[in-house]
């Protein structure tokens, strides 16, 4: 049995929504704190919070699926994954343009920060591409 969209017919739908919001918001706050901890050289704190953030994000994903987010159908799951891949694969151009605009406006440190995510975005696309290739999925 799939839990996808389970909350629609559950008397606990409101509780599931609350848990979804708590996990999504909590993971976002953890990620913010990870960034700030790293800025302050607190790598051990950042590492602990990063693990918590990832797990809370996964919890949020589980509750999101229960609320009907995403698709349970495997073919649609692949289509959604391909759409995500395309966003990741096109991020470099968008981020470079944004960085240039920000730099031209006189905020080079902000531009550097935005541009610092480019290689990770490229890696996201490479990871997805490797999985698609392994499964024979067109992208």
């Amino acid at each position: 049995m799939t839990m996808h969209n389970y909350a629609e017919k559950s008397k606990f739908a409101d509780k599931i929504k609350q848990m979804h919001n708590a996990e999504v918001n909590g993971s976002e706050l953890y990620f913010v704190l990870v960034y700030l901890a790293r800025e302050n050289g607190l790598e051990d704190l950042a590492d602990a919070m990063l693990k918590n953030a990832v797990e809370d994000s996964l919890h949020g994903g589980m509750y999101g699926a229960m609320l009907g987010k995403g698709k349970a159908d495997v073919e649609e799951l692949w289509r959604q994954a391909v759409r995500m891949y395309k966003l990741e694969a096109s991020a470099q151009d968008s981020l470079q343009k944004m960085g240039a605009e920000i730099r031209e406006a006189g905020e080079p440190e902000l531009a550097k920060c935005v541009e610092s995510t480019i290689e990770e975005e490229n890696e996201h696309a490479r990871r997805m591409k490797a999985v698609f290739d392994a499964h024979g999925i067109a992208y």
Side-chain angles (χ1 to χ4, degrees):
M1 174 183 127
T2 181
M3 293 302 289
H4 185 262
N5 209 27
Y6 183 88
E8 179 181 310
K9 55 191 174 281
S10 173
K11 63 184 175 184
F12 297 101
D14 288 339
K15 295 246 184 245
I16 297 299
K17 287 176 188 171
Q18 290 172 353
M19 292 304 298
H20 176 258
N21 289 333
E23 296 289 355
V24 169
N25 293 333
S27 67
E28 180 185 26
L29 181 55
Y30 267 131
F31 283 123
V32 168
L33 295 175
V34 167
Y35 178 81
L36 295 173
R38 286 180 175 166
E39 276 192 339
N40 287 284
L42 301 170
E43 293 302 320
D44 55 345
L45 178 60
D47 290 346
M49 289 191 299
L50 179 60
K51 290 174 185 170
N52 292 355
V54 169
E55 290 170 359
D56 280 354
S57 289
L58 289 169
H59 301 162
M62 177 186 69
Y63 293 125
M66 288 179 189
L67 294 168
K69 296 176 184 290
K71 300 291 181 193
D73 175 74
V74 174
E75 288 182 24
E76 182 56 28
L77 175 67
W78 281 114
R79 284 191 288 275
Q80 287 182 321
V82 168
R83 286 192 293 273
M84 292 297 292
Y85 161 78
K86 289 178 179 180
L87 291 170
E88 299 286 8
S90 68
Q92 180 170 336
D93 289 340
S94 300
L95 292 169
Q96 285 175 330
K97 288 176 187 174
M98 183 186 300
E101 181 181 340
I102 292 169
R103 188 172 282 100
E104 288 171 18
E107 298 189 51
E109 289 302 314
L110 179 57
K112 183 179 171 184
C113 189
V114 168
E115 293 164 342
S116 74
T117 66
I118 291 172
E119 185 48 39
E120 287 178 349
E121 299 295 348
N122 289 339
E123 181 60 22
H124 298 170
R126 285 190 291 270
R127 281 186 205 132
M128 298 294 286
K129 183 182 180 301
V131 173
F132 297 154
D133 290 346
H135 287 268
I137 302 296
Y139 49 91

